[in-house]
Amino acid sequence: MLTKRIIPCLDVKDGRTVKGVNFVDLRDAGDPVELADRYAKEGADELVFLDISATLEKRKTLVDLVKSVAEAVHIPFTVGGGISSVSDVKALLDAGADKVSVNSSAVKNPGLINELSNEFGSQCIVVAIDSRNVDGVDLVHTHGGTKPTELKTLEWAKEVEERGAGEILLTSMDHDGTKAGFAMELTKQLSETLSIPVIASGGGGTEQHFKDIFVGGKADAALAASIFHYKEVEIAHLKNELKKVNIPVRL
């Protein structure tokens, strides 16, 4: 069985790591390069670096910061925010990223997924899906979660897999920052339907939540931010606890 991955997320705005609740009320969480280095040493399997205001402000991800983070760590590293072309992806991969994450630009132009997958290989194309439940229906949101679409989350996930995405980063906006647990049913739905890995994001607050999302939610990886930033959950301890209940992790 493939090992389950623990992935800290660095949400970056104006060169600083920030964290909010339900995508708003952002507060400072530290220097992204220092945090990246710390997480690599603590046993994180991968890192995700999201320039959360890049799409909103219609500018490109901070390539220089990506270089600095990449120089500090030697674990796989995904970058997202404002990516909308082959040249954007090439610049980030050249700067040291292992994978890129696309969201709003893929919804606007689904063919971009095919284009990027064909150019760079599906293994480095992650499609991020920000999902919120609206009147009982899970719908995709774009532009940092500010714009609802009419796309149903599961249907969009199936389409991006067909178009060549190698992985899906599923963030439940309803759970984001609440520390009340991941979106179990939605994650399970995607994990059981798709053949590509699903990263669960949004709501991780305790070690039990990680156990739940790996076992009940069938997630391949779990991503969290504030609990790692503020040392509420230690990565090494979390992995040891997962190992005790026979969840395969890399120690």
PDB file of all heavy atoms in Angstrom, residues 24 62 64 88 225 233 237:
ATOM      1  N   VAL A  24     -11.033  33.814   4.979  1.00  0.00           N
ATOM      2  CA  VAL A  24     -10.986  35.242   5.325  1.00  0.00           C
ATOM      3  C   VAL A  24     -10.305  35.424   6.679  1.00  0.00           C
ATOM      4  O   VAL A  24      -9.880  34.465   7.317  1.00  0.00           O
ATOM      5  CB  VAL A  24     -12.401  35.876   5.349  1.00  0.00           C
ATOM      6  CG1 VAL A  24     -13.005  35.903   3.959  1.00  0.00           C
ATOM      7  CG2 VAL A  24     -13.318  35.132   6.321  1.00  0.00           C
ATOM      8  N   LEU A  62       5.313  34.672  -7.011  1.00  0.00           N
ATOM      9  CA  LEU A  62       6.611  35.274  -6.741  1.00  0.00           C
ATOM     10  C   LEU A  62       7.731  34.260  -6.963  1.00  0.00           C
ATOM     11  O   LEU A  62       8.069  33.476  -6.083  1.00  0.00           O
ATOM     12  CB  LEU A  62       6.639  35.785  -5.302  1.00  0.00           C
ATOM     13  CG  LEU A  62       5.503  36.752  -4.939  1.00  0.00           C
ATOM     14  CD1 LEU A  62       5.513  37.045  -3.446  1.00  0.00           C
ATOM     15  CD2 LEU A  62       5.640  38.050  -5.728  1.00  0.00           C
ATOM     16  N   ASP A  64      10.927  34.533  -7.221  1.00  0.00           N
ATOM     17  CA  ASP A  64      12.101  34.649  -6.344  1.00  0.00           C
ATOM     18  C   ASP A  64      11.879  33.948  -5.011  1.00  0.00           C
ATOM     19  O   ASP A  64      12.781  33.296  -4.481  1.00  0.00           O
ATOM     20  CB  ASP A  64      12.452  36.120  -6.099  1.00  0.00           C
ATOM     21  CG  ASP A  64      13.048  36.774  -7.329  1.00  0.00           C
ATOM     22  OD1 ASP A  64      13.467  36.025  -8.236  1.00  0.00           O
ATOM     23  OD2 ASP A  64      13.084  38.015  -7.390  1.00  0.00           O
ATOM     24  N   ASP A  88       4.290  30.218 -17.544  1.00  0.00           N
ATOM     25  CA  ASP A  88       4.205  30.348 -16.077  1.00  0.00           C
ATOM     26  C   ASP A  88       4.755  29.099 -15.405  1.00  0.00           C
ATOM     27  O   ASP A  88       5.535  29.173 -14.450  1.00  0.00           O
ATOM     28  CB  ASP A  88       2.751  30.525 -15.622  1.00  0.00           C
ATOM     29  CG  ASP A  88       2.161  31.867 -15.999  1.00  0.00           C
ATOM     30  OD1 ASP A  88       2.930  32.782 -16.356  1.00  0.00           O
ATOM     31  OD2 ASP A  88       0.925  32.000 -15.939  1.00  0.00           O
ATOM     32  N   ALA A 225      -2.423  23.685   7.631  1.00  0.00           N
ATOM     33  CA  ALA A 225      -1.589  24.878   7.719  1.00  0.00           C
ATOM     34  C   ALA A 225      -1.396  25.326   9.160  1.00  0.00           C
ATOM     35  O   ALA A 225      -0.370  25.086   9.769  1.00  0.00           O
ATOM     36  CB  ALA A 225      -2.198  25.999   6.873  1.00  0.00           C
ATOM     37  N   VAL A 233      -0.043  20.663  16.342  1.00  0.00           N
ATOM     38  CA  VAL A 233       0.204  19.257  16.019  1.00  0.00           C
ATOM     39  C   VAL A 233       1.622  19.163  15.459  1.00  0.00           C
ATOM     40  O   VAL A 233       1.977  19.916  14.552  1.00  0.00           O
ATOM     41  CB  VAL A 233      -0.808  18.721  14.986  1.00  0.00           C
ATOM     42  CG1 VAL A 233      -0.438  17.330  14.518  1.00  0.00           C
ATOM     43  CG2 VAL A 233      -2.222  18.715  15.563  1.00  0.00           C
ATOM     44  N   HIS A 237       5.243  13.495  15.626  1.00  0.00           N
ATOM     45  CA  HIS A 237       4.329  12.818  16.568  1.00  0.00           C
ATOM     46  C   HIS A 237       3.091  12.312  15.845  1.00  0.00           C
ATOM     47  O   HIS A 237       2.611  11.198  16.100  1.00  0.00           O
ATOM     48  CB  HIS A 237       3.940  13.779  17.698  1.00  0.00           C
ATOM     49  CG  HIS A 237       3.160  13.113  18.792  1.00  0.00           C
ATOM     50  ND1 HIS A 237       1.787  13.146  18.866  1.00  0.00           N
ATOM     51  CD2 HIS A 237       3.574  12.362  19.852  1.00  0.00           C
ATOM     52  CE1 HIS A 237       1.383  12.460  19.921  1.00  0.00           C
ATOM     53  NE2 HIS A 237       2.447  11.974  20.543  1.00  0.00           N
TER      54      HIS A 237
END
